[in-house]
Amino acid sequence: MSVPKSVALPGGDQIPAVGCGTWTVWEAAPGAVRDAIKAAIAEGYRHVDCAWVYGNEQEVGEAIQDKIKDGTVARSDLFVTTKLWDTAHRRGAVTEQLKKALARLSLDYVDLYLIHWPTSFKEGDIDFPKDDNDKHIFEFHDIQDTWKGMEDAKDAGLTKNIGISNFNSKQVQRVIDGARIKPCNIQIEVNPLFSNARLIDFCRERGLTVTAYAPFGSPNRPWKKSDDPVLFEQPILKDIAAAKGKSPAQVCLRFLLQRGLVVIPKSVTPSRLKENFQLYDFELSEAEMKQMFSLNRDHRVYGQEITLDHPEYPFSIPF
Ligand SMILES: NC(=O)c1ccc[n+]([C@@H]2O[C@H](COP(=O)([O-])OP(=O)(O)OC[C@H]3O[C@@H](n4cnc5c(N)ncnc54)[C@H](OP(=O)(O)O)[C@@H]3O)[C@@H](O)[C@H]2O)c1
């Protein structure tokens, strides 16, 4: 089964099917993301996934400017995504935060702007506002209203496309019901241990394209529990990889691409960046796809438990 190198967004733009994740908070020294994005662009990546809350948009921006200046790419060759953080869900705050993000990125526009989570925090400069009892401070904004702010940002030419992330099916539907411009993309956790199939189908039936984050289940996450399943150690995956002469990481990514998803693996290691981009010289048969699907454990790694008692907590219904 051949897979395209990009996925068409409803408005006509193409999102490159393999992008570069940049959330490295717990494992990257200052400068590591800048070097990784420079190496990634040199390797051929044209899609970078950022977010306000990752705190490194400036480094990403420096890397992009460097590769534009040295002639490797033009701005128009790149697809840059960033995400609205929970502290700017008021309609008027959406555009304000995007303007600041663009300044950090040294860009005039992004290609895709996403609402990072449906859960809104107290507005302000502190990304994780807390009260005296160390409890996160929420503030309530209707997601349909926040979406209007996203439409404003697109109207202002600050972003070419708008979408959502970590919304459940009911929240997706509410955004669509109140939208003048429909979301064109949803970014959600998907990997072989967490197939997320029902939400993917639900979104596709409504015209959204789907990006799979944490395609390896974020193996080095600090909150990993000792009894959590370890993706790269699953015998089925190891056997398929050995039979293909590919790494387990490459088989995971190819599996997701064959499901029609966009993937955004993160690495700050040049050899892995290279490996994660070499996905088009092999394919998985129907039987191998079936075997890969059998690895699903509905095992979510990004549960965002800090918002468990937020009224918009997205993961309290099946999908
Ligand atoms: N929308 C959201 O809420 C959301 C949530 C989570 C993530 N994301 C996005 O999705 C991206 C990816 O998710 P993630 O970073 O959590 O997890 P991931 O991509 O599933 O895993 C990243 C980890 O895998 C390692 N790795 C990368 N390539 C490898 C390879 N070929 N072989 C073995 N190990 C490899 C990396 O190590 P090294 O870096 O040391 O090589 C890193 O520790 C994020 O960076 C972010 O951009 C979005």
Side-chain angles (χ1 to χ4, degrees):
M1 179 198 182
S2 72
V3 287
K5 294 210 166 161
S6 62
V7 171
L9 295 174
D13 287 344
Q14 295 280 329
I15 177 166
V18 185
C20 221
T22 62
W23 193 41
T24 54
V25 163
W26 61 84
E27 55 186 353
V33 173
R34 182 172 47 242
D35 294 346
I37 297 304
K38 281 194 331 199
I41 293 174
E43 194 58 52
Y45 288 81
R46 295 293 177 261
H47 171 187
V48 186
D49 180 72
C50 316
W52 174 271
V53 78
Y54 301 165
N56 56 17
E57 284 168 312
Q58 190 164 336
E59 280 192 32
V60 175
E62 286 164 9
I64 290 174
Q65 291 309 319
D66 234 71
K67 298 316 283 176
I68 291 176
K69 276 190 202 120
D70 77 7
T72 308
V73 281
R75 168 66 185 95
S76 55
D77 298 329
L78 295 173
F79 191 100
V80 181
T81 300
T82 199
K83 310 185 194 89
L84 175 80
W85 184 235
D86 299 13
T87 50
H89 275 211
R90 183 176 51 80
R91 178 176 180 174
V94 174
T95 297
E96 282 168 34
Q97 192 178 81
L98 179 51
K99 282 183 181 161
K100 289 185 200 162
L102 288 170
R104 289 175 171 189
L105 286 162
S106 306
L107 297 176
D108 301 328
Y109 67 90
V110 287
D111 297 275
L112 177 61
Y113 198 39
L114 303 174
I115 304 180
H116 203 150
W117 291 89
T119 46
S120 44
F121 290 175
K122 181 182 171 223
E123 188 172 333
D125 293 333
I126 301 167
D127 287 347
F128 293 92
K130 287 185 176 177
D131 66 16
D132 294 342
N133 298 316
D134 211 33
K135 234 177 130 5
H136 290 89
I137 309 174
F138 305 142
E139 183 175 282
F140 303 104
H141 294 283
D142 186 335
I143 53 179
Q144 289 187 334
D145 226 49
T146 307
W147 187 253
K148 289 190 171 65
M150 300 294 280
E151 293 172 331
D152 296 339
K154 178 166 160 51
D155 289 344
L158 302 173
T159 179
K160 292 198 163 181
N161 297 282
I162 47 178
I164 51 188
S165 175
N166 296 305
F167 281 45
N168 65 33
S169 57
K170 288 191 172 160
Q171 293 165 331
V172 172
Q173 192 60 53
R174 261 162 52 216
V175 170
I176 292 172
D177 290 345
R180 178 168 56 82
I181 305 167
K182 285 193 183 155
C184 69
N185 177 265
I186 184 165
Q187 186 178 121
I188 48 177
E189 181 176 337
V190 191
N191 59 62
L193 295 172
F194 186 62
S195 76
N196 220 341
R198 284 185 293 175
L199 183 56
I200 293 172
D201 288 346
F202 182 92
C203 291
R204 285 186 170 151
E205 281 159 16
R206 285 154 184 79
L208 283 83
T209 57
V210 183
T211 300
Y213 77 63
F216 308 138
S218 206
N220 298 321
R221 64 192 183 281
W223 62 94
K224 185 169 49 184
K225 297 194 199 88
S226 56
D227 57 348
D228 280 351
V230 179
L231 178 57
F232 289 156
E233 284 174 17
Q234 300 298 312
I236 286 176
L237 175 59
K238 284 165 86 174
D239 288 351
I240 295 176
K244 301 274 165 199
K246 293 284 167 185
S247 70
Q250 288 172 313
V251 171
C252 286
L253 295 173
R254 179 74 199 191
F255 167 64
L256 298 173
L257 290 179
Q258 287 189 207
R259 291 181 65 191
L261 300 164
V262 173
V263 293
I264 46 170
K266 170 260 159 185
S267 180
V268 291
T269 314
S271 59
R272 287 174 171 173
L273 280 167
K274 193 181 174 91
E275 179 183 323
N276 296 345
F277 203 61
Q278 290 174 347
L279 307 173
Y280 289 90
D281 56 353
F282 73 109
E283 61 182 88
L284 301 177
S285 66
E286 235 171 85
E288 288 163 335
M289 288 295 287
K290 238 179 160 167
Q291 281 184 292
M292 288 296 293
F293 271 116
S294 77
L295 292 175
N296 180 42
R297 302 284 178 274
D298 290 332
H299 181 77
R300 187 194 295 283
V301 300
Y302 283 95
Q304 195 73 341
E305 282 80 3
I306 60 167
T307 59
L308 262 178
D309 43 358
H310 194 293
E312 293 288 2
Y313 181 70
F315 305 140
S316 47
I317 60 171
F319 70 98

